[in-house]
Amino acid sequence: MSVLTVVQNGKSKKIEFEGPHKLNDLLKTTDVHVSQPCGGRGVCGKCTVFVNGNRELACKYIVDSDAVVVL
């Protein structure tokens, strides 16, 4: 079991998951939505978040272990 910690506006939520998932799909499970004007194709950059300190696209990033996401 892995844990995704989501930090938004100074508050954090934890999401437990198994196996690899697209980051955006995991965020949706807790009603955290990231803008995706391009429909998740990864071309607009509007879903950029920080995962473990690195800039990533939520629509393309695959989470497969513990991670911290800052929105």
Side-chain angles (χ1 to χ4, degrees):
M1 184 74 59
S2 298
V3 176
L4 176 67
T5 302
V6 181
V7 180
Q8 182 178 28
N9 298 326
K11 297 179 182 179
S12 65
K13 294 181 182 181
K14 295 194 182 294
I15 304 168
E16 292 184 351
F17 66 97
E18 288 188 38
H21 291 278
K22 280 190 179 178
L23 175 57
N24 197 51
D25 292 340
L26 286 174
L27 293 174
K28 286 179 186 176
T29 66
T30 61
D31 295 324
V32 175
H33 298 283
V34 178
S35 178
Q36 292 187 63
C38 70
R41 294 179 308 198
V43 296
C44 73
K46 300 284 183 178
C47 66
T48 300
V49 297
F50 289 91
V51 180
N52 296 334
N54 299 311
R55 290 177 65 133
E56 303 290 349
L57 296 177
C59 68
K60 295 291 183 184
Y61 188 80
I62 303 296
V63 184
D64 59 0
S65 62
D66 292 350
V68 176
V69 176
V70 179
L71 305 177

